[in-house]
């Protein structure tokens, strides 16, 4: 598996925001979103270390941290991700979350060793809404999250339409997140109030306020 970095930090987003987590970031992605803040990890010439699932499992367990986030890039593109999930989830000691971009079929990963999914839905500002797989919504459960990264009022309106169309607040956690520096979070809150978006949460990327927004390994 192509590992570009491993580190311990806090979850900056989602239901476990502020809690310690151990992160494993993998190289490569099938999208190139306009606002991507880890584009460096998606480049073909990005340095990485080839590690077997057993090596990654051993590293994670040695940290003593029980929240695990597999991210990228797009971690579900890694050929041995199923084997890694089987190891990490074999005894129930770890909570394993996969951050996925919405353009990969989740069905193969919803069996016995099912992780928690944080799935993006790419909005117009990303340039990749056409790659989204709405059929994934039917596979989500109460512990999962759909994240809408918004860079404009048009993005907010599109997010509202998708949330309503698929009744997402009854299925899983739903978050709106601003493209850092592109949209005023207060505008997003105003939109939520005006549209009575009950069950939807706004989130700021906590790690970008604690550390430099461009810093890696946090």
């Amino acid at each position: 598996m192509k590992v570009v970095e491993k580190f311990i930090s806090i979850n900056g987003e989602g239901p476990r925001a502020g809690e310690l987590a151990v992160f494993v970031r993998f190289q490569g992605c099938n999208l190139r979103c306009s606002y991507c803040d880890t584009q460096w990890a998606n480049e073909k010439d990005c340095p990485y270390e080839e590690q077997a699932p057993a090596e990654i499992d051993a590293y994670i367990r040695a940290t003593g941290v029980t929240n695990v986030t597999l991210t990228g890039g797009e971690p579900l593109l890694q050929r041995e991700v199923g084997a890694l999930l089987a190891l990490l989830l074999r005894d129930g000691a770890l909570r394993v979350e996969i951050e996925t971009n919405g353009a990969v079929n989740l069905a193969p990963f919803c069996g016995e060793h099912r992780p928690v999914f944080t799935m993006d839905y790419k909005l117009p500002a990303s340039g990749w809404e056409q790659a989204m797989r709405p059929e994934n919504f039917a596979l989500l459960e109460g512990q999962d999250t759909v994240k809408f990264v918004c860079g404009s009022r048009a993005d907010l309106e599109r997010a509202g339409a998708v949330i309503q169309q698929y009744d997402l607040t009854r299925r899983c956690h739903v978050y709106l997140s601003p493209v850092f520096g592109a949209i005023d979070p207060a505008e997003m809150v105003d939109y939520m109030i005006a549209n009575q978006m009950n069950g939807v949460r706004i989130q700021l990327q906590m790690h970008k306020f604690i550390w430099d927004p461009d810093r890696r390994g946090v």
Side-chain angles (χ1 to χ4, degrees):
M1 304 184 77
K2 299 177 179 180
V3 178
V4 297
E5 61 177 355
K6 306 191 298 286
F7 58 93
I8 300 170
S9 185
I10 58 162
N11 271 317
E13 305 174 85
R16 298 287 178 111
E19 293 188 18
L20 284 178
V22 54
F23 290 80
V24 180
R25 185 181 307 282
F26 296 100
Q27 188 267 345
C29 188
N30 53 336
L31 306 182
R32 296 185 70 87
C33 296
S34 61
Y35 51 74
C36 182
D37 56 5
T38 55
Q39 189 61 55
W40 60 272
N42 303 334
E43 303 298 340
K44 291 183 178 179
D45 60 354
C46 173
Y48 64 86
E49 182 179 356
E50 191 71 43
Q51 292 195 324
E55 294 178 89
I56 299 169
D57 175 66
Y59 162 77
I60 289 170
R61 292 178 184 273
T63 68
V65 176
T66 56
N67 286 325
V68 179
T69 300
L70 306 181
T71 189
E74 172 49 62
L76 294 181
L77 296 179
Q78 297 293 315
R79 183 172 54 84
E80 294 184 280
V81 68
L84 176 59
L85 289 173
L87 286 174
L88 295 176
L89 295 168
R90 68 184 183 273
D91 56 8
L94 303 173
R95 177 189 182 272
V96 180
E97 176 182 352
I98 285 188
E99 295 184 336
T100 182
N101 63 21
V104 177
N105 182 14
L106 300 186
F109 309 100
C110 290
E112 179 183 0
H113 299 108
R114 185 192 190 280
V116 175
F117 294 109
T118 292
M119 189 186 81
D120 281 14
Y121 184 90
K122 304 300 185 185
L123 297 167
S126 73
W128 284 95
E129 187 177 11
Q130 73 278 5
M132 294 299 92
R133 301 180 67 113
E135 63 271 23
N136 281 335
F137 290 141
L139 301 171
L140 299 179
E141 299 177 355
Q143 73 272 24
D144 299 321
T145 296
V146 175
K147 180 176 68 174
F148 296 89
V149 178
C150 302
S152 66
R153 178 64 177 243
D155 278 358
L156 283 171
E157 293 172 353
R158 179 59 181 149
V162 173
I163 292 166
Q164 184 174 26
Q165 179 180 356
Y166 294 97
D167 201 14
L168 292 180
T169 56
R170 293 183 182 273
R171 180 173 294 279
C172 60
H173 302 288
V174 179
Y175 284 83
L176 301 178
S177 183
V179 176
F180 192 79
I183 186 172
D184 186 350
E187 179 183 350
M188 298 175 68
V189 176
D190 289 342
Y191 182 85
M192 292 170 68
I193 294 169
N195 290 275
Q196 301 176 342
M197 297 182 76
N198 295 303
V200 177
R201 301 174 185 176
I202 189 171
Q203 66 175 8
L204 306 180
Q205 293 176 295
M206 188 182 298
H207 53 289
K208 291 188 177 181
F209 292 88
I210 298 175
W211 297 283
D212 184 292
D214 296 322
R215 181 173 172 179
R216 300 183 187 179
V218 295

